[in-house]
Amino acid sequence: MVIIDFPLPGLTEIQELIRTTVPPERLKIQGLGQEQLIRACQGLTRQRIQRILARALAQKNQVTEKDIDLVLEEKKQYIRQTEILEFYPASATLSSVGGLENLKEWVRQRRNSFGEQAAKYGLPTPKGVLLVGIQGTGKSLSAKAIAQEWRMPLLRLDAGRLFGGIVGESEGRTRQMIQIAEAMAPCVLWLDEIDKAFGGVGGEYSGDSGTSKRVFGGLITWMQEKTKPVFIVATANNVQVLPAELLRKGRFDEIFFLNLPTEPERREIWRVHLERVRPSRIRDFQLDEL
Ligand SMILES: Nc1ncnc2c1ncn2[C@@H]1O[C@H](COP(=O)(O)OP(=O)(O)OP(=O)(O)O)[C@@H](O)[C@H]1O
Ligand SMILES: [Mg+2]
């Protein structure tokens, strides 16, 4: 028997699909815009892409730049329907994170390491980072800022949703999650609070016949072997309960510890937040006192 996989359409296939679905004189989008449209379609099935294009054609008889948002909206819907991943709109930028200079520097340096040029030059594609630390020190904020800095879509995995009630369902959902993430590559996959999801994996008795162990095993194998540019940002509060195999080099490029902010960092955080809510009156505040 030959087993044939039908992956979601890739970039060239999507281009072809757009070309065959939309008559050339109605395609009012060129160059960079077209590239963005193709990227936006990544992660959707052929049928869905065709349907969106058909809808755009029916509404205004042409496909324009505005339809990129339509595609993104549809994608958000689709990803939400799978109930495993969540599509996060771009929000925070690196400049809205105060302090954390090491992390910010690390992220800035790798800004260009995902393109074709970087691959030709021989730069390894960044795999991921683990952010551990005290609650409320900006781990979730940094995850969002990384995606925004690199201009990549941000997918958030709710690890609790990976687990289904039927035997084998959890493993299946893990595979589905990986498939969606890879189809959207390059993207940032945000595993929030992994210590809560996989904290018990190291122990003898997990109480679920080993399901969480198998899900965890599948996940770390993929993290090691993945070839698609899916950058993982994992966050955790308690590093002690995390299994040792997750922490070794190779799974993550780097592990950052986010401590309570130092004095210059606290000043920086005040400034960031005051600038957001009282942009014109920032001089009235005595940052040092605060
Ligand atoms: N370095 C920072 N610069 C600016 N704002 C910050 C910083 N750290 C935290 N904040 C503010 O605190 C809020 C909470 O931070 P965040 O959600 O990132 O915490 P967390 O580390 O993910 O906490 P938890 O471990 O509880 O999930 C942010 O929304 C942000 O407004
Ligand atoms: Mg958080």
Side-chain angles (χ1 to χ4, degrees), residues 257-268:
F257 175 66
L258 283 78
N259 207 343
L260 292 175
T262 58
E263 196 179 321
E265 283 181 328
R266 290 200 292 271
R267 192 177 298 123
E268 199 45 22

Side-chain angles (χ1 to χ4, degrees), residues 139-141 190 192-193 235:
K139 298 184 292 297
S140 303
L141 184 70
W190 174 22
D192 209 15
E193 315 274 350
T235 71

Side-chain angles (χ1 to χ4, degrees), residues 125-126 181-183 185-186 222 225-231:
T125 313
E182 292 203 329
W222 173 65
E225 305 297 331
K226 72 182 152 67
T227 49
K228 297 267 170 65
V230 177
F231 186 80

Side-chain angles (χ1 to χ4, degrees), residues 25-147:
E25 71 275 10
R26 301 217 191 135
L27 188 63
K28 298 274 189 292
I29 178 170
Q30 255 81 41
L32 194 67
Q34 198 166 6
E35 215 168 281
Q36 278 174 341
L37 178 68
I38 293 170
R39 284 214 176 276
C41 290
Q42 262 186 319
L44 293 174
T45 60
R46 297 174 148 269
Q47 215 178 10
R48 271 181 186 265
I49 298 172
Q50 266 169 336
R51 212 167 60 199
I52 298 169
L53 293 174
R55 198 162 77 201
L57 281 178
Q59 274 173 359
K60 12 184 221 357
N61 223 359
Q62 58 188 10
V63 174
T64 59
E65 301 236 350
K66 281 208 184 102
D67 293 313
I68 296 174
D69 292 332
L70 207 70
V71 176
L72 286 177
E73 190 53 41
E74 177 82 14
K75 187 150 77 175
K76 221 191 294 184
Q77 279 292 330
Y78 166 65
I79 289 171
R80 193 175 297 151
Q81 275 164 24
T82 63
E83 295 198 330
I84 308 170
L85 291 169
E86 209 177 321
F87 190 88
Y88 253 74
S91 50
T93 59
L94 272 195
S95 55
S96 58
V97 182
L100 308 180
E101 289 305 326
N102 285 344
L103 174 63
K104 276 161 40 178
E105 179 67 27
W106 191 92
V107 171
R108 284 204 186 99
Q109 272 178 356
R110 281 157 186 77
R111 185 185 297 158
N112 295 325
S113 37
F114 285 92
E116 227 170 85
Q117 242 181 334
K120 249 185 228 159
Y121 188 74
L123 281 181
T125 313
K127 286 174 175 242
V129 287
L130 173 62
L131 310 176
V132 283
I134 300 162
Q135 56 276 23
T137 43
K139 298 184 292 297
S140 303
L141 184 70
S142 305
K144 293 173 207 160
I146 291 174

Side-chain angles (χ1 to χ4, degrees), residues 223-265:
M223 282 167 71
Q224 179 86 48
E225 305 297 331
K226 72 182 152 67
T227 49
K228 297 267 170 65
V230 177
F231 186 80
I232 294 177
V233 181
T235 71
N237 290 119
N238 187 355
V239 74
Q240 275 179 346
V241 300
L242 286 178
E245 55 268 40
L246 186 68
L247 300 179
R248 74 163 175 78
K249 285 254 168 175
R251 295 268 145 63
F252 293 107
D253 294 319
E254 213 67 67
I255 298 175
F256 289 94
F257 175 66
L258 283 78
N259 207 343
L260 292 175
T262 58
E263 196 179 321
E265 283 181 328

